[in-house]
Structure formats: C-alpha cells, structure tokens
Amino acid sequence: MVPEYPFMDIGRVLAEVHVCGRVQGVFFRQFTKNTAQELGIAGYARNLPDGCVQVVAEGPKDSVEILLQRLRAGPPMSHVDSLEVEWKQASGEFTGFVIRR
C-alpha cells in the first residue's frame, strides 16, 4: 500500500525513497532506472554507505505510485526489507532518470 501524501491536488509529485534489504549488487539501481524511464519518471537512484538505495522520483502521481509498487518487489536477486517514502512537492529540476555513484 502506498502511503498518503499532502499533494493530492497536484498532478506531479516528488518522492524521496529509502530502500533497504538486499538491494546493492543485485541490479536494483538499473532496475529502478529502467522502470522509471518506462513510466516517464525523472530523478535518480544511488547506493548509500549503509547498504540501502536512495531513489528520488519525480513525475505524475499515478506513475510514481506504480514505481513504488515495483520497487517493493525489486529485481529477481533482490530482497526489500523496508521502503520508506517522504513525499515532497515536485521541483522540476530533473530532466531524466540517472544512476548516481
């Protein structure tokens, strides 16, 4: 289930996502990029020092919600233990989706 957020009337949203579990070294960032591009979402994914992955996703509300559902499942070799989402107002600063190092 996708958490509620305060921007219900705005067509575009930004989600800052913290994904933990077996998410590094299992194609998770590339999976995220491929899925985001398929859904027309801009932003980035990057590995964090704590072994988690940070995803910043900006786009249409419905598309971001689909991305979150797919991130919970992840690619075949991954295992998501937790996915925390912080909803923010879209900034428009992203032009595509990239993997950050």
Side-chain angles (χ1 to χ4, degrees), residues 5-14 61 87-90:
Y5 47 89
F7 310 110
M8 295 299 288
D9 296 330
I10 297 174
R12 294 182 63 81
V13 296
L14 185 140
K61 174 185 64 134
W87 293 99
K88 298 188 174 189
Q89 195 161 12

Side-chain angles (χ1 to χ4, degrees), residues 44-81:
Y44 66 87
R46 69 179 179 140
N47 286 341
L48 297 174
D50 64 0
C52 297
V53 170
Q54 177 190 33
V55 177
V56 174
E58 181 177 77
K61 174 185 64 134
D62 293 346
S63 296
V64 173
E65 289 174 342
I66 291 168
L67 175 67
L68 294 176
Q69 290 171 354
R70 293 188 187 170
L71 292 181
R72 281 186 179 85
M77 297 297 292
S78 71
H79 177 79
V80 175
D81 292 329

Side-chain angles (χ1 to χ4, degrees), residues 29 33 37 41-46 56 94 96-100:
R29 290 178 300 155
K33 178 181 178 181
Q37 288 176 331
I41 294 171
Y44 66 87
R46 69 179 179 140
V56 174
F94 305 106
F97 199 95
V98 298
I99 295 173
R100 290 190 178 172

